[in-house]
Amino acid sequence: MHELTKVPSTRRPDLHVATDGEFTGWRTWVRDSFESHIGPFWHKIEDDGSVRSAFRVEKKHLNGSGNVHGGCFMAFADYCLFAIATHELDGPAVTTNFACDFLDAAREGELVECVGEVSRAGGSLIFLRGKLTSAGRPLFTFSGTIKRVKRKPALQPNA
């Protein structure tokens, strides 16, 4: 596992940056225990403002045939939705729609990368699409919708 350090930001205290290894300088979120368990998934903002996400395929990502499990691609793509929307988000949000197409398989050791774009960002909905590749080979395409949500007050016990 990579050594992580917090990005000094009160806006995103859950955003961490790798300080060593293959993904030095790349970011990840640590608030989602499922993503932390199946990842690590990483993203970085390129010089042109676009967002690139990636993960290195490990044995834990594989199905019984030795290919990346479809659910892993889907979970990574969902992570990518939020990375791609990073310039549009200023608070909590949830995925409300997700569609995908499986194009090819990836195997252990491959680097799976994602690039995408915001198709439209409105008041509460953000529409996005992206593509996963490995060494330029298309693996998976997806589209999704993220809904900005208001924080609900915490429930008080016995209230």
Side-chain angles (χ1 to χ4, degrees), residues 10 15 17-19 21 24 26 39-40 55 62 64 75 82 129-130 133 138 146:
T10 56
L15 185 65
V17 176
T19 58
T24 299
W26 289 60
F55 77 100
L62 306 179
F82 288 82
R129 61 182 169 195
T133 61
I146 296 174

Side-chain angles (χ1 to χ4, degrees), residues 10-14 31 89-94 147-155:
T10 56
R11 185 172 169 255
R12 293 303 308 260
D14 61 335
R31 71 180 177 273
L89 292 172
D90 56 3
V94 296
K147 179 173 179 49
R148 295 179 178 102
V149 295
K150 295 180 178 143
R151 294 185 199 266
K152 294 180 181 178
L155 293 176

Side-chain angles (χ1 to χ4, degrees), residues 34-130:
F34 180 73
E35 285 175 358
S36 296
H37 177 72
I38 63 170
F41 298 147
W42 300 96
H43 66 281
K44 69 176 179 174
I45 299 171
E46 303 283 8
D47 292 339
D48 65 0
S50 65
V51 178
R52 176 174 301 279
S53 301
F55 77 100
R56 178 70 62 186
V57 178
E58 299 175 28
K59 186 176 179 95
K60 68 180 180 178
H61 300 125
L62 306 179
N63 62 22
S65 297
N67 299 314
V68 172
H69 192 285
C72 180
F73 274 165
M74 294 171 76
F76 176 58
D78 186 63
Y79 172 94
C80 294
L81 287 175
F82 288 82
I84 294 164
T86 198
H87 301 302
E88 305 295 335
L89 292 172
D90 56 3
V94 296
T95 304
T96 60
N97 185 49
F98 183 86
C100 63
D101 291 300
F102 296 89
L103 306 175
D104 202 353
R107 312 235 349 138
E108 188 172 358
E110 289 188 59
L111 179 68
V112 175
E113 296 182 277
C114 177
V115 293
E117 65 183 359
V118 173
S119 302
R120 182 162 196 259
S124 65
L125 297 176
I126 305 169
F127 301 88
L128 309 104
R129 61 182 169 195

